[in-house]
Amino acid sequence: MTAPAQPPATPDLLYSQDEEDLRSAVRALLADRADAPTVIVATESATPYDQGLWEALATGIGAAGLLVPEKLGGQGASHREAAVVLEELVRY
């Protein structure tokens, strides 16, 4: 006799405290370094991006290695953490 089918697990759609902390860090960095006037001036310059901002995102926050496994030197994060960072990046 086969076991009765289990109902599918309900996905947890709320963000964890760690995910909210990551969101806050990215949001604060962008608020400090990528406000609208700063971005507009940069797009009209010879260097249309802020190298320091990208370095802070990549190394300070670790966004560049979020989905890279820890054993390979990355953060070993899940798609949820990557989504949090992307949500904040497109918010600006």
Side-chain angles (χ1 to χ4, degrees):
M1 178 170 222
T2 61
Q6 296 290 329
T10 304
D12 183 8
L13 301 178
L14 300 177
Y15 289 108
S16 70
Q17 187 60 49
D18 288 341
E19 292 162 345
E20 288 298 340
D21 291 345
L22 176 60
R23 177 185 308 284
S24 293
V26 173
R27 185 175 288 183
L29 177 65
L30 294 173
D32 184 48
R33 304 275 299 268
D35 62 336
T38 301
V39 171
I40 291 168
V41 168
T43 59
E44 297 170 350
S45 73
T47 307
Y49 61 91
D50 181 345
Q51 181 69 31
L53 171 61
W54 285 110
E55 287 175 10
L57 277 168
T59 59
I61 291 179
L66 273 177
L67 298 176
V68 177
E70 287 182 84
K71 67 182 180 180
L72 298 176
Q75 301 296 321
S78 73
H79 64 282
R80 291 177 59 104
E81 287 90 352
V84 165
V85 172
L86 290 174
E87 287 171 0
E88 289 306 311
L89 288 174
V90 299
R91 185 173 175 269
Y92 274 83

